[in-house]
Amino acid sequence: MAFAQNTNENKFKQLKEELATPNVFRNAAGAPGPSYYQQQADYKMNIVLDDAKQRIDGKETITYTNNSPDPLSYLWLQLDQNIRIPGSDGQLTNTSTIDDFSSSWALNRAMNVANFDGGFKIQKVTNADGSELKYTIVGTMMRIDLKKALVNGASFSFNVDWWYNINNRMEIGGRSGYEYFAEEDNYLYTIAQYFPRMCVYNDVEGWQNKQFLGRGEFALPFGDYSVSITVPEDHVVASTGVLTNESKVLTKKQLNRLAEAKKSDQPVFIVTQDEAEEAEKKKSTGTKTWNFEAENVRDFAFASSRKFIWDAQSVQLETKSVMAMSFYPKEGNPLWERYSTRVIAQTLKTFSKHTFDYPYPVAISVHANSIGMEYPMICFNGGRPNADGTYSERTKYGMHSVIIHEVGHNYFPMIINSDERQWTWMDEGLNTFLQFVTEQEWQRNYPSRRGPAHLIVDYMKGDKSNISPIMTNSESIWQFGNNAYGKPATALNILRETILGRELFDYAFKVYANRWKFKHPTPADFFRTMEDASGVDLDWFWRGWFYTNDHVDMSIENMQWFRLDTHDPEKEKAQDKEFSKEAGAGISSIRNKESIKETVNEKDPSLNDLYIISDPYAVTPEEKAAYQKFSEGLSQKDKDLLASGYEFYQLDFKNKGGLVMPIILEFAFEDGTKELIKIPAEIWRFDSENVSKVFYFKKKVVAVQMDPFLETADCEVFDNYWPRQAVPSRFDIFQQNK
């Protein structure tokens, strides 16, 4: 017997070809294998912040340990500041049209970028004994050639001296830089990517030395840091790590307040606004060095300003307590003193609940205008009120959301250390998903911008030539925010609420987080772990949501109503009589009542025979006898079935958008009750465009609605009803839900 070829198998085809073959480094279950390894990069640094020249000078000693089985004849470092060298690949590959220069602001910004003397000025690279090492700079990367290959288990220490000019973020942008307050001639520095950093070397691609073009962020190995930061004497420094010389840089009063904050579950001021404003005026000319230590981090950032107000509190997690801290200028109040540290605390609680207890000793939010950027233990966040202290609803919730998001990045990718240079969604998408969960725990009906399925609809039904699959490299994504943040966050929320359910999803997500904390996961590790821990085949889901730009658009094309023929003339003719009443008269019959005053039969009753005067719905003796004979041949099971009163409905469905999803139906019955039925996406496995299914109930259906709770991101809802009914626009639905 010949079978037709299944042309729809690609929708449910397993991801054997798309995912790397399991091996001793990463197994088929999505966990680190028996030979998994990762490199170690430890740093000792002396950093000087020149507040007069807006310049960073640094000296570092890097100790690199090769835990791989491969001998390494050279090492690769990242020089991210080199994107600011005039004529860098990042600048040259940015496209533009003349419309992009249609305002003085845009024109000035372009000129400032082109004329800024940016990039690392490498002074020297030396061996531990002081002898020079050969190095080659390739764009935003630097290769150091070793005199002898670094074998498995061996370590190599070397020194790099450098300096660079700090960029004005407000003029030329950037993830780090300074903000200048002209009225009082003060600076607020948020400093990151400020030192040559080791690239990742792993089992997936060897050296991760993809050039930094501006979008794809960072892939870095873990290590221990000891950093001394010299700043103006009246500056307050917020940093990755633990302050180890607090008695030398803080006053006795500040030390006492910090000790109080470590025992408080509410924010305590370490530096008050009055004290910060006094420092703004005096501007000390001396310097002070702050020492910080950080263990097992993948990066190191800091912020410095004499403008900083500083508050902190303790946050109790399930197994430990950690510190939440905020640093902000007076321009951030009243929003920042009221909310920032409290928002940090809730973020740590929610993320810990869904992954693992926050492992670091501190989480810091620093206020800098028009930014949102994350580093281990510290992040830089926007959300500035008006000059008079008033603020809009948008500013308030924007500030809350960016703090939740950036603090959350401590988990993705600072601890669960995915490769941002390759796959932005692995940190931004997962983090945005838990951001949504946190927002809802922070405030009921919080106006989240991403997460719920219906919020991604306008993007997904847009022009496909401008929509990238999620599995697109970070530097090549169309519509970056929707693709790398919104769509994967929505996919995970749908996976949690609709595909797996919360219990299965939360368990599997937590398994992934714990398997890969302080390690380097890939997309395959995430996909495989979620399947392995949930026990549900999700390859169709990853394929549709992550590897295509299809959208969800399913419709109810038709519904047919059937009843069982009981063969009982009493029941069947009574039903026929009711049907005839419900059907009503046709238009001709209605009009004929008026236009035909009298028929021939009405004039001459003698013409009326048995067929005219008898009741067509009356049961004849012959019909009764026939039913009696029929009934005697039935089993009791058949009799019970015929007497059950089931109503049968065939629904025909069409998949117009290409993305297969579960069919969720709400049946409304004549008696006012409703019933919800959820059909798994596998119903589409033999035909991904058209499917039919019969449903049966003991009561009459009056209406059917598909996706009644807007949980599948269906792009058109008018065809989700049978019978059809007018529905509000997607915008109106969002407003109602909001």
Side-chain angles (χ1 to χ4, degrees), residues 480-498:
F480 195 78
N482 283 320
N483 177 281
Y485 294 67
K487 187 178 176 183
T490 302
L492 293 182
N493 198 46
I494 290 174
L495 199 60
R496 183 177 189 239
E497 301 287 12
T498 303

Side-chain angles (χ1 to χ4, degrees), residues 218-431:
F218 315 109
L220 301 160
F222 288 102
D224 298 336
Y225 286 71
S226 178
V227 183
S228 297
I229 305 170
T230 300
V231 297
E233 189 175 26
D234 52 1
H235 271 218
V236 174
V237 178
S239 174
T240 298
V242 175
L243 180 62
T244 59
N245 66 334
E246 55 189 23
S247 63
K248 294 185 178 180
V249 295
L250 301 181
T251 66
K252 186 175 181 180
K253 184 181 293 185
Q254 291 167 346
L255 287 170
N256 290 336
R257 292 170 177 168
L258 183 58
E260 180 187 350
K262 291 178 180 178
K263 297 180 290 185
S264 173
D265 62 358
Q266 297 294 318
V268 174
F269 284 105
I270 288 86
V271 177
T272 67
Q273 180 165 331
D274 288 343
E275 291 166 341
E277 290 183 15
E278 190 65 23
E280 287 176 350
K281 300 172 185 175
K282 291 185 176 179
K283 296 183 184 176
S284 172
T285 56
T287 62
K288 188 183 290 184
T289 299
W290 298 58
N291 297 330
F292 294 91
E293 304 278 344
E295 295 181 357
N296 208 18
V297 294
R298 58 164 251 172
D299 202 357
F300 197 100
F302 70 93
S304 183
S305 180
R306 61 176 55 89
K307 293 176 63 64
F308 278 148
I309 303 162
W310 176 9
D311 71 52
Q313 73 168 79
S314 175
V315 182
Q316 184 61 50
L317 305 178
E318 186 176 343
T319 62
K320 60 184 297 189
S321 62
V322 298
M323 293 299 292
M325 297 182 178
S326 297
F327 295 75
Y328 46 95
K330 65 180 184 299
E331 287 77 7
N333 277 336
L335 268 179
W336 279 73
E337 66 182 10
R338 184 175 186 182
Y339 292 115
S340 178
T341 300
R342 293 179 173 90
V343 172
I344 297 171
Q346 183 58 51
T347 304
L348 296 178
K349 291 175 181 177
T350 302
F351 274 70
S352 294
K353 179 173 64 176
H354 288 279
T355 56
F356 44 78
D357 272 4
Y358 183 71
Y360 294 132
V362 65
I364 297 171
S365 170
V366 176
H367 176 45
N369 200 23
S370 304
I371 191 173
M373 194 59 204
E374 75 282 356
Y375 302 92
M377 304 185 223
I378 189 171
C379 54
F380 312 143
N381 303 310
R384 182 161 296 174
N386 301 318
D388 63 0
T390 61
Y391 52 84
S392 66
E393 183 180 31
R394 181 175 181 176
T395 297
K396 171 190 171 181
Y397 287 115
M399 172 249 195
H400 289 185
S401 290
V402 74
I403 292 174
I404 293 170
H405 186 87
E406 306 306 342
V407 171
H409 269 310
N410 276 287
Y411 287 85
F412 311 95
M414 299 303 154
I415 299 169
I416 304 162
N417 192 7
S418 57
D419 184 350
E420 297 177 272
R421 190 65 53 87
Q422 295 288 356
W423 309 113
T424 297
W425 71 266
M426 282 199 75
D427 71 293
E428 298 294 358
L430 272 63
N431 188 47

Side-chain angles (χ1 to χ4, degrees), residues 100 150 175-176 201 310 362 376 391 407 429 440 452 465 496 523 603 659 697 737:
D100 297 322
L150 188 64
R175 289 178 169 84
S176 66
Y201 183 89
W310 176 9
V362 65
Y391 52 84
V407 171
Q440 299 307 309
S465 65
R496 183 177 189 239
K603 288 180 181 179
L659 191 55
F697 310 96
N737 287 348

Side-chain angles (χ1 to χ4, degrees), residues 478-551:
W478 288 95
Q479 299 194 57
F480 195 78
N482 283 320
N483 177 281
Y485 294 67
K487 187 178 176 183
T490 302
L492 293 182
N493 198 46
I494 290 174
L495 199 60
R496 183 177 189 239
E497 301 287 12
T498 303
I499 310 299
L500 295 178
R502 290 191 175 189
E503 183 178 358
L504 277 182
F505 178 91
D506 290 351
Y507 176 81
F509 194 79
K510 201 162 191 173
V511 168
Y512 168 73
N514 281 275
R515 277 181 176 177
W516 290 99
K517 64 181 177 182
F518 297 112
K519 295 181 177 68
H520 303 289
T522 67
D525 299 319
F526 177 67
F527 296 154
R528 285 169 169 155
T529 293
M530 292 302 292
E531 291 193 15
D532 182 66
S534 70
V536 178
D537 177 14
L538 297 171
D539 279 20
W540 65 269
F541 184 81
W542 309 129
R543 182 179 294 283
W545 277 88
F546 286 75
Y547 285 89
T548 78
N549 61 1
D550 289 346
H551 66 282

Side-chain angles (χ1 to χ4, degrees), residues 49 56 164 166 176-178 189-194 300-304 375 380:
L49 170 63
I56 291 286
Y164 75 90
I166 306 171
S176 66
Y178 68 80
Y189 298 92
T190 48
I191 305 298
Q193 294 92 251
Y194 60 94
F300 197 100
F302 70 93
S304 183
Y375 302 92
F380 312 143

